[in-house]
Structures are given as structure tokens and as C-alpha cells.
């Protein structure tokens, strides 16, 4: 099983065996474009080329020449080898992707009309402000489950149609298509034969009705986006087509299993029951909890999205999104050059006993949940002559754990409409006290950060064997699509815990100082 994990910074290809173990992986980074303040763009064609390249590198790394990738067995030195040509009759190619990032392209030429508008981009902020001023917030929330915010795809599409010469006219003529990155990759991999997305990515556009599970005509009119641009919506465990990946697989392989990265991590962490939740530490971070098969109204500061859809059913989730977590660490390395790599930050951060009063509020693209303020800018507060780069690095790491605490605190205190009980009895365990928080992503390797997270939440933090939970979730959906596993129970036994961080007592001054710092920039 091959899983493509197309993230904000790179495209990874991972090869899983039937026990969901990672046999090999490859990764190709793509460029980040910041043409104006608040604008963040990706070259969609570069991302597609990198996807093909990542799969090619994976095949070379594994020396895979087997009749099917899915049954390639690692040799004693970890290299999967066989005797035939690169031809995978029974393999699957699953996709998980950075969400909300949106591409608009001409269906005749196959060329994007502009760079992709990334989820961090704020150019749609003025439209969002206008809609909020017009009182459309409750309407959009009721239909889509989302807050009106440029983080979600719709305002970016509207901006492109209104600002790229000729785009609006082409869209009205039915010449343009739109889609999140999964849609773009499926369209390219199938040579334009399939224009489709899954329910999770659709639910992050502000154009999808999470109650009817259809594109919503009223939302489309609100954002002035022609329905002809929209892809078909399929379940996560659907078959999406076949691809040769530019001739790498002469007989073609099946594209099956598609979902957004945060949702992929929810599945990869085996959060199949209502009340189970996870934290994904990536470029940004997502805190998501499975709320069951009913799209409950989200508490203030959170949103309701499709968690995942499989076996003919849909599970929903409450979620809060943090815009800058791993991106903050990358900024510390690339822009400030305080350390060479994020992996070196732990030693420096633990060389001092505390942050020395220094706080970093990483609002590089505004603040996400629970603040949802796209106008504020990032800040470093509390600097004195005693502050060192160790204090600044420590403050950067702390900002990740502190932002997660902000969201978890909201999630575990959800009142019912009458204010006397939890909104749903199936979530009472989560609301009263979290038993554990499952985590994934590169920053989970930082033991200082994980221990701090457990301390702030006063809840055990559980790391599992698979670092790439989003990719695993996509692979599982691909397996469900082709009947390799018949139920959730078939795969739950595959989850392997590697580390559990038990909470230790912590001084409340750290979090109090954080809230004060945030308050200073959102006045």
C-alpha cells in the first residue's frame, strides 16, 4: 500500500505492508511563495511533479520490482526485492493532503490559472469581514459547521475568480475546475478522467453542507462560485480511479482511500469511537475529537467537520486548528537561524530552567482556534537584557503546547443547550476528564515538548509507533475500500504505543503568562 502524504511543506510517499508497518519512505520538498504580506502560495504543478518523483524515489529506494507492492516483503537488510517488473496489479495508492489549500485550473489546458492559495493565506479576509458584518456567520456555521474565515477554501476561490483576468468569465462558461490538493492530484493522476474529492476535504471548503452531505447551492451563491467548478464528493473509503503514475506502473494501480491530513491522523490513531481524540503536530496543528454520527454544534471557537466516512456511515468531529506550530520551529531555524535544525532545539531549550518571562505568540498568519483572528501579527514578548536565545527557543516550543491547551480546555467544557449537562452523553468521558491524548507528527520526537504537553493538560500523552498517522489513515481507508479489512476492529489491534508521558505538577504561572501575552496582541 502506497500512501501519498501531501503536506504544506513537502510531499511524502510511504510504503506500508499489510500489518501497517512502514517499509520505506521518500520525501520531496516544494517551494513556499510569499508574494505579498499575508499571501501564501504553492505551485500546484510543482506539487504534482513532486508527487510523481516521491513515488519514483520510493520505488528506487526499495528496489521494488515485484508484481505487487502490497505483498513486497522486506529482506533481512530491510530492502524489498522481487523478480518481476514494476507492475502492481493489486496495490492501492491512497492520498492524504494539506486541507483548505485550493487550486483553480482550466479543464481544457490542465493548467492552473494561478498558484494555489494556501490555507495560511489571508487574502480572503476582507470578504470574510464583509460577510460577518452582513450577519452571515450563523448561517455559514449552521450549514458548513465552519466559522467564516480565510483559512477555509471558499474565500480564496472567490478572490482568484475576481482578480485573475478573465477567470470569472471562464468560470461562468464552465471552463474552470476547482479543488483542494487531493482533487488536483486525482485529476492529474487519472489524466483528467476523475474530478473528485472526499467528504472530509469537502467539509473544509465552507461550501459543503455537513447535514445533507452535498455541495450547498446557497453557500455557492454566497461566495459567487459556479457549481460547475465543484468536484464530485465520495466517501473516504471509495475507489477514485486508476493511475500509471506517469508510466511507473504500466498496468495501472488503484487510487483508493482519500482524506484530509488531520482526518487521516484521526483514523491512523484509531479514534473510531465518540469521545476519542488526537493532536497532530505539523506545520500547523489540529486538535480533533470524534463526536459520533451526528453533526453537533461546535462550542465557541471550534468548528464541526466530517471526521471520516467509511462503511456507508459518517462520523463527525469537533476541531480546532492552530496555524503555526512546526512552522514556528522552521522559522526559528530558517529565518532567525538560532539553531540549525528543529531537532537541536530540545537541548538548547532545556539548558535554561524556564522561559525567563519570554513568550512567543506565533500569529504569522493570524491566530486560529479558539481566537480566529486573522488580523493580528506574531510577537515576542517579555524580552529583557537577561533573555538569551535559549529562552527564545524554549518559548517557541512552549507556544505549541500552550496553544494546544487553549483548544483542549474549550473541548472539555462543552455545556448542553440548557447549560446543565454535556452536549452529548457519548462525550461525557471527554468532557469530565481526558483519559489520554494521542499525538503524532515530527515534533512528538521532542521529549521536552511532549512532557510539557502532558503537564499542561494534566493528561497522559500517548505516542504510537507510526509517526505518519495521516498517511496510515489514508492507507487504512484504501484497505477498507478494497476489502482488505472488513471493520474497524480488524485494524485496531495494529496500533502500537511507543511512549506514554505521564503528567507532572506544573506551576500555573506559565499558562497565565501565555494568556496575558495573547491578550496583549488581540486587544
Amino acid at each position: 500500500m502506497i500512501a501519498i502524504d501531501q503536506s504544506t511543506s513537502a510531499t511524502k510517499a510511504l510504503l506500508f505492508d499489510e500489518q501497517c508497518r512502514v517499509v520505506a519512505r521518500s520525501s520531496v520538498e516544494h517551494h513556499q511563495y510569499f508574494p505579498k504580506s499575508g499571501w501564501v502560495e504553492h505551485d500546484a504543478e510543482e506539487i504534482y511533479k513532486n508527487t510523481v518523483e516521491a513515488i519514483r524515489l520510493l520505488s528506487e529506494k526499495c528496489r521494488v520490482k515485484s508484481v505487487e507492492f502490497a505483498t513486497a516483503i522486506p529482506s533481512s537488510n530491510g530492502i524489498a526485492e522481487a523478480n518481476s517488473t514494476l507492475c502492481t496489479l493489486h496495490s492501492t495508492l491512497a492520498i492524504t493532503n494539506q486541507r483548505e489549500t485550493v487550486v483553480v485550473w482550466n479543464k481544457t489546458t490542465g493548467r492552473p490559472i494561478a498558484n494555489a492559495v494556501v490555507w495560511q493565506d489571508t487574502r480572503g479576509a476582507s470578504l470574510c469581514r464583509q460577510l460577518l458584518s452582513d450577519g452571515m456567520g450563523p448561517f455559514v456555521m449552521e450549514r458548513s459547521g465552519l466559522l467564516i474565515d480565510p483559512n477555509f477554501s471558499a474565500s480564496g476561490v472567490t478572490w482568484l475568480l475576481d482578480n485573475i483576468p478573465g477567470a470569472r468569465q471562464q468560470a461562468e462558461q464552465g471552463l474552470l475546475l476547482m479543488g483542494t490538493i487531493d482533487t488536483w492530484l486525482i485529476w492529474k493522476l487519472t489524466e483528467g478522467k476523475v474530478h473528485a474529492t472526499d467528504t472530509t476535504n469537502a467539509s473544509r471548503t465552507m461550501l459543503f453542507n455537513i447535514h445533507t452531505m452535498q455541495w450547498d447551492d446557497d453557500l455557492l451563491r454566497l461566495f459567487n462560485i459556479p457549481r460547475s467548478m465543484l468536484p464530485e464528493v465520495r466517501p473516504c473509503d471509495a475507489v477514485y480511479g486508476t493511475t500509471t503514475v506517469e508510466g511507473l506502473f504500466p498496468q495501472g494501480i488503484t487510487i483508493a482511500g482519500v482524506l484530509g491530513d488531520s482526518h487521516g491522523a484521526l483514523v491512523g490513531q484509531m479514534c473510531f469511537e465518540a469521545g476519542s481524540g488526537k493532536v497532530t503536530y505539523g506545520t500547523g496543528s489540529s486538535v480533533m475529537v470524534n463526536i459520533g454520527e451526528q453533526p453537533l454544534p461546535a462550542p465557541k471557537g471550534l468548528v464541526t467537520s466530517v471526521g471520516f466516512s467509511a462503511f456507508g456511515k459518517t462520523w463527525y468531529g469537533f476541531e480546532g486548528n492552530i496555524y503555526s506550530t512546526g512552522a514556528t520551529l522552521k522559522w526559528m531555524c530558517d529565518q532567525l537561524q538560532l539553531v540549525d535544525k528543529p531537532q537541536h532545539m530540545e537541548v538548547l531549550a532545556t539548558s535554561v530552567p524556564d522561559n525567563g518571562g519570554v513568550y512567543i505568540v506565533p500569529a504569522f498568519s493570524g491566530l486560529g482556534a479558539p481566537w480566529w483572528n486573522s488580523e493580528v501579527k506574531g510577537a515576542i514578548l517579555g524580552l529583557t537584557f537577561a533573555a538569551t536565545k535559549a529562552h527564545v527557543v524554549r518559548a517557541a516550543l512552549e507556544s505549541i503546547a500552550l496553544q494546544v491547551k487553549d483548544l483542549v480546555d474549550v473541548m472539555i467544557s462543552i455545556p448542553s443547550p440548557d447549560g446543565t449537562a454535556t452536549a452529548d452523553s457519548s462525550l461525557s468521558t471527554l468532557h469530565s476528564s481526558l483519559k489520554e491524548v494521542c499525538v503524532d507528527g515530527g515534533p512528538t520526537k521532542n521529549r521536552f515538548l511532549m512532557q510539557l504537553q502532558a503537564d499542561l493538560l494534566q493528561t497522559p500523552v500517548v505516542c504510537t509507533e507510526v509517526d505518519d498517522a495521516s498517511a496510515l489513515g489514508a492507507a487504512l481507508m484504501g484497505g477498507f475500500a478494497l476489502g482488505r479489512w472488513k471493520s474497524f476492529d480488524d485494524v485496531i489491534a495494529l496500533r502500537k504505543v511507543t511512549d506514554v508521558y505521564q503528567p507532572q505538577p506544573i506551576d500555573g504561572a506559565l499558562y497565565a503568562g501565555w494568556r496575558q501575552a495573547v491578550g496583549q496582541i488581540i486587544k
Side-chain angles (χ1 to χ4, degrees):
M1 298 174 291
I2 309 164
I4 295 299
D5 185 354
Q6 203 299 297
S7 73
T8 308
S9 58
T11 303
K12 291 183 284 188
L14 299 96
L15 180 63
F16 290 91
D17 66 16
E18 290 185 335
Q19 296 299 310
C20 292
R21 294 171 297 202
V22 176
V23 177
R25 74 185 73 207
S26 64
S27 180
V28 184
E29 291 188 358
H30 59 264
H31 292 88
Q32 310 289 319
Y33 297 94
F34 309 99
K36 293 184 179 181
S37 177
W39 289 25
V40 187
E41 298 179 349
H42 292 159
D43 182 340
E45 293 192 283
E46 179 191 10
I47 286 176
Y48 172 66
K49 291 175 183 177
N50 288 358
T51 300
V52 175
E53 177 66 6
I55 297 173
R56 187 190 67 79
L57 290 172
L58 184 73
S59 67
E60 286 187 357
K61 183 177 292 187
C62 298
R63 302 177 192 171
V64 175
K65 298 179 181 178
S66 67
V67 173
E68 57 175 317
F69 257 124
T71 58
I73 301 173
S75 64
S76 58
N77 64 357
I79 303 298
E81 297 178 321
N83 301 315
S84 189
T85 58
L86 190 62
C87 170
T88 40
L89 297 177
H90 300 91
S91 236
T92 58
L93 176 64
I95 297 173
T96 185
N97 58 287
Q98 54 168 317
R99 304 173 304 164
E100 297 102 17
T101 296
V102 68
V103 188
V104 175
W105 69 96
N106 186 297
K107 68 180 182 181
T108 302
T109 67
R111 300 289 300 275
I113 66 170
N115 278 344
V117 178
V118 178
W119 58 271
Q120 298 163 311
D121 191 288
T122 60
R123 74 186 68 184
S126 60
L127 172 59
C128 292
R129 284 195 301 272
Q130 183 61 53
L131 292 174
L132 288 168
S133 177
D134 293 342
M136 300 308 298
F139 168 74
V140 172
M141 171 68 81
E142 193 281 327
R143 294 287 182 93
S144 70
L146 305 176
L147 297 159
I148 296 179
D149 191 86
N151 169 245
F152 305 112
S153 310
S155 63
V157 175
T158 302
W159 190 97
L160 290 176
L161 295 183
D162 290 341
N163 290 274
I164 302 299
R168 174 65 65 185
Q169 181 180 5
Q170 292 179 53
E172 297 293 347
Q173 293 173 346
L175 298 177
L176 299 185
L177 301 177
M178 64 159 279
T180 42
I181 294 295
D182 60 304
T183 306
W184 166 250
L185 292 180
I186 291 167
W187 194 84
K188 292 289 287 183
L189 288 166
T190 61
E191 299 177 344
K193 296 181 178 69
V194 180
H195 182 219
T197 190
D198 83 293
T199 55
T200 67
N201 278 293
S203 75
R204 304 295 293 186
T205 62
M206 271 198 301
L207 302 172
F208 188 73
N209 190 315
I210 62 173
H211 305 278
T212 66
M213 298 298 287
Q214 302 287 335
W215 297 117
D216 190 285
D217 288 329
D218 292 330
L219 291 173
L220 289 170
R221 279 191 290 270
L222 186 67
F223 287 96
N224 198 15
I225 296 173
R227 179 179 271 273
S228 61
M229 297 179 67
L230 277 292
E232 175 191 351
V233 181
R234 300 181 184 179
C236 304
D237 65 342
V239 172
Y240 284 77
T242 59
T243 180
T244 66
V245 191
E246 300 286 343
L248 276 173
F249 305 99
Q251 297 188 38
I253 60 174
T254 301
I255 302 173
V258 176
L259 70 178
D261 51 11
S262 183
H263 314 264
L266 192 71
V267 173
Q269 292 283 17
M270 313 295 179
C271 297
F272 299 127
E273 294 184 0
S276 55
K278 61 88 200 178
V279 179
T280 297
Y281 301 88
T283 301
S285 286
S286 160
V287 182
M288 183 182 287
V289 58
N290 184 332
I291 62 171
E293 297 179 48
Q294 296 297 321
L296 303 173
K300 186 177 180 180
L302 301 182
V303 299
T304 304
S305 298
V306 174
F308 53 88
S309 51
F311 301 119
K313 297 181 179 181
T314 298
W315 285 262
Y316 295 87
F318 286 154
E319 184 179 15
N321 297 102
I322 301 166
Y323 292 166
S324 295
T325 51
T328 305
L329 307 187
K330 184 175 174 60
W331 172 74
M332 298 288 289
C333 299
D334 296 349
Q335 303 297 101
L336 298 190
Q337 299 182 3
L338 294 182
V339 289
D340 294 330
K341 298 178 180 179
Q343 296 91 319
H344 299 162
M345 296 181 72
E346 182 174 2
V347 172
L348 192 57
T350 55
S351 68
V352 290
D354 53 45
N355 63 17
V358 177
Y359 287 87
I360 293 179
V361 183
F364 299 102
S365 300
L367 285 174
W371 312 105
W372 293 108
N373 189 325
S374 61
E375 302 299 316
V376 298
K377 303 299 181 185
I380 302 177
L381 301 102
L383 292 175
T384 67
F385 284 122
T388 67
K389 73 175 181 178
H391 293 108
V392 175
V393 167
R394 185 179 179 111
L397 289 170
E398 289 177 345
S399 74
I400 296 175
L402 290 162
Q403 289 177 97
V404 170
K405 177 174 170 58
D406 283 341
L407 291 186
V408 172
D409 281 357
V410 173
M411 285 185 172
I412 63 176
S413 57
I414 306 169
S416 65
D418 63 8
T420 60
T422 56
D424 186 275
S425 59
S426 64
L427 299 178
S428 60
T429 299
L430 177 71
H431 297 161
S432 60
S433 63
L434 285 171
K435 290 186 176 180
E436 64 179 27
V437 173
C438 300
V439 298
D440 62 271
T444 61
K445 299 296 185 185
N446 189 304
R447 300 188 67 85
F448 165 75
L449 174 60
M450 291 298 98
Q451 185 61 57
L452 177 62
Q453 192 71 84
D455 297 346
L456 285 169
L457 299 180
Q458 285 297 292
T459 303
V461 167
V462 179
C463 301
T464 57
E465 185 177 58
V466 177
D467 295 331
D468 302 282
S470 297
L472 174 58
L476 292 176
M477 284 296 172
F480 296 154
L482 297 186
R484 288 179 177 154
W485 300 291
K486 305 297 184 183
S487 69
F488 296 145
D489 289 339
D490 289 347
V491 298
I492 287 175
L494 301 175
R495 180 175 183 256
K496 298 178 178 64
V497 173
T498 55
D499 286 297
V500 178
Y501 293 86
Q502 296 294 341
Q504 304 295 323
I506 188 171
D507 188 345
L510 174 64
Y511 187 60
W514 162 256
R515 297 289 291 210
Q516 183 178 12
V518 173
Q520 289 183 30
I521 72 165
I522 62 173
K523 287 181 179 179

